[in-house]
Amino acid sequence: MGKVKTKNKFNDFLLTQGLKSTNQRELILEEFLCAGSHLSTEELYLRLRRKNPRIGYATVHRTLKLFAECGIAEQRHFGDGQARYEASDHDEHHDHLICVACGKIVEFEDPRIEELQVEVAGGHGFTIERHRLELYGCCSDCCQG
Amino acid sequence: MGKVKTKNKFNDFLLTQGLKSTNQRELILEEFLCAGSHLSTEELYLRLRRKNPRIGYATVHRTLKLFAECGIAEQRHFGDGQARYEASDHDEHHDHLICVACGKIVEFEDPRIEELQVEVAGGHGFTIERHRLELYGCCSDCCQG
DNA sequence: CCTCAATTGAAAACCGTTTTCAACTTAAAG
DNA sequence: CTTTAAGTTGAAAACGGTTTTCAATTGAGG
């Protein structure tokens, strides 16, 4: 989803929910979209402060929750104890490769794995709603090259 | 691994590390082994208190960490914000199915998925060290039967 | 403009986890 | 069986990320 489309979606969301469009929300969305994905609240907050020192952590936190609520962002946890947010391409699911050395996060998608998941779950009487697959290892920059 | 073998392993661990065998540690290990797996620290602590009200949360916490360190338990996070521990069958890996309705946790293993994971990771230049696969959905007790 | 509800930021509360510290155990030495 | 040194315990405090509170501010419709 393009930047403009995402911003429109957020504005629509605000309107339909009776929420207000504010300067902070615009700044946060802009920074969220142009900064790399998978930023933590803290990281995004620090980036924003560089440009606008008057912005508060609580506002960043609340705004990220709004993003998630309206479907333009998704919250993730990669085991380092803090929540991270990634821009959501909506209905296009992907999983993650995480380098344990440098922290790099790569997204991937594999329909064959998804298919097997459904099969395995079915075998146990489960209907899958969502899943989480994270592969932790070493990327080529860190461990081979 | 049987109960006795696990207890021996823990005692060996204590010896080789210069740690002491204490009444609390025995109680906690016994309860950990006979209570169902995937208990949180809090849950195990509450169970232990019923039998021995003088036991402290900190001790349960520290002892579970020891279990993990010595390889008889593994810490897991299933997204509800608290750490859970499961008895470890060592080198036999498995993943989890979690019922979003009743919280039931089922373990499974599928070599085909593992194989694909290695393949996909390799395609991105990664060498997998470990992974996490959790399927969240509805079990047959909750959503169908 | 005015008004009122929504929003903001600083600070406090929260919640699971981890550490501190003085009292207490353990195990090995005497 | 002491004694002793080191490890352990539990209550309480500290921690760290998250979430809420609240008084002051801002946005948008009347």
Side-chain angles (χ1 to χ4, degrees):
Chain A
M1 198 156 29
K3 258 195 203 182
V4 177
K5 241 182 162 180
T6 302
K7 290 186 180 179
N8 286 339
K9 186 168 179 183
F10 184 53
N11 285 327
D12 287 351
F13 173 78
L14 292 179
L15 269 178
T16 63
Q17 302 289 310
L19 305 177
K20 289 175 179 168
S21 168
T22 70
N23 201 245
Q24 284 92 329
R25 285 178 179 163
E26 275 171 38
L27 282 173
I28 295 171
L29 180 51
E30 173 61 27
E31 188 67 28
F32 173 69
L33 291 176
C34 77
S37 212
H38 307 112
L39 266 63
S40 65
T41 309
E42 178 78 14
E43 285 163 357
L44 188 58
Y45 166 65
L46 291 175
R47 290 182 68 116
L48 282 157
R49 270 185 74 97
R50 276 187 237 141
K51 302 181 181 171
N52 185 338
R54 318 181 60 215
I55 213 152
Y57 181 96
T59 303
V60 177
H61 167 77
R62 286 184 286 228
T63 305
L64 282 170
K65 276 212 316 194
L66 279 185
F67 292 171
E69 209 178 312
C70 103
I72 65 175
E74 275 175 60
Q75 199 190 53
R76 303 268 183 193
H77 289 266
F78 294 118
D80 63 349
Q82 52 190 347
R84 293 178 178 280
Y85 289 84
E86 67 180 35
S88 164
D89 282 324
H90 231 205
D91 41 61
E92 184 194 302
H93 174 79
H94 62 256
D95 297 304
H96 296 86
L97 272 159
I98 298 118
C99 177
V100 296
C102 70
K104 179 163 59 194
I105 298 174
V106 175
E107 303 176 350
F108 73 90
E109 200 184 348
D110 192 303
R112 298 168 301 170
I113 294 181
E114 314 263 321
E115 206 177 300
L116 287 171
Q117 287 173 359
V118 173
E119 181 193 318
V120 169
H124 287 85
F126 274 67
T127 310
I128 298 187
E129 221 169 68
R130 64 199 160 83
H131 73 263
R132 160 148 93 174
L133 172 58
E134 289 149 22
L135 308 180
Y136 294 87
C138 232
C139 75
S140 50
D141 291 341
C142 293
C143 295
Q144 284 141 32
Chain B
M1 196 155 31
K3 257 194 202 182
V4 176
K5 241 183 161 180
T6 303
K7 290 186 180 181
N8 286 340
K9 187 169 180 182
F10 184 54
N11 285 326
D12 287 353
F13 173 78
L14 292 179
L15 269 178
T16 63
Q17 302 289 310
L19 305 177
K20 288 176 179 169
S21 169
T22 69
N23 201 245
Q24 284 92 328
R25 285 176 178 165
E26 277 171 37
L27 283 173
I28 295 171
L29 181 49
E30 173 62 27
E31 187 67 29
F32 174 68
L33 291 176
C34 77
S37 211
H38 307 112
L39 266 61
S40 65
T41 310
E42 178 77 14
E43 284 163 357
L44 188 57
Y45 166 65
L46 290 176
R47 290 183 68 116
L48 282 157
R49 271 185 73 97
R50 277 188 235 140
K51 301 179 181 171
N52 186 337
R54 317 181 61 213
I55 213 153
Y57 181 95
T59 304
V60 177
H61 167 77
R62 285 184 288 229
T63 305
L64 282 170
K65 276 213 316 196
L66 280 184
F67 291 172
E69 209 179 313
C70 102
I72 64 175
E74 276 177 58
Q75 198 190 54
R76 303 268 182 193
H77 289 267
F78 293 119
D80 63 350
Q82 51 189 348
R84 294 178 178 280
Y85 289 84
E86 68 181 34
S88 164
D89 282 323
H90 230 204
D91 42 60
E92 184 193 303
H93 174 80
H94 62 254
D95 298 304
H96 296 87
L97 272 159
I98 298 116
C99 178
V100 295
C102 69
K104 180 163 61 195
I105 298 174
V106 175
E107 303 175 350
F108 72 89
E109 201 184 349
D110 191 303
R112 298 168 301 168
I113 295 181
E114 314 262 322
E115 207 176 299
L116 286 172
Q117 286 173 1
V118 173
E119 181 193 318
V120 169
H124 285 85
F126 274 68
T127 310
I128 298 187
E129 222 168 67
R130 64 199 160 82
H131 73 263
R132 160 149 92 173
L133 173 57
E134 289 148 23
L135 308 180
Y136 294 87
C138 232
C139 75
S140 50
D141 292 340
C142 292
C143 295
Q144 285 140 32

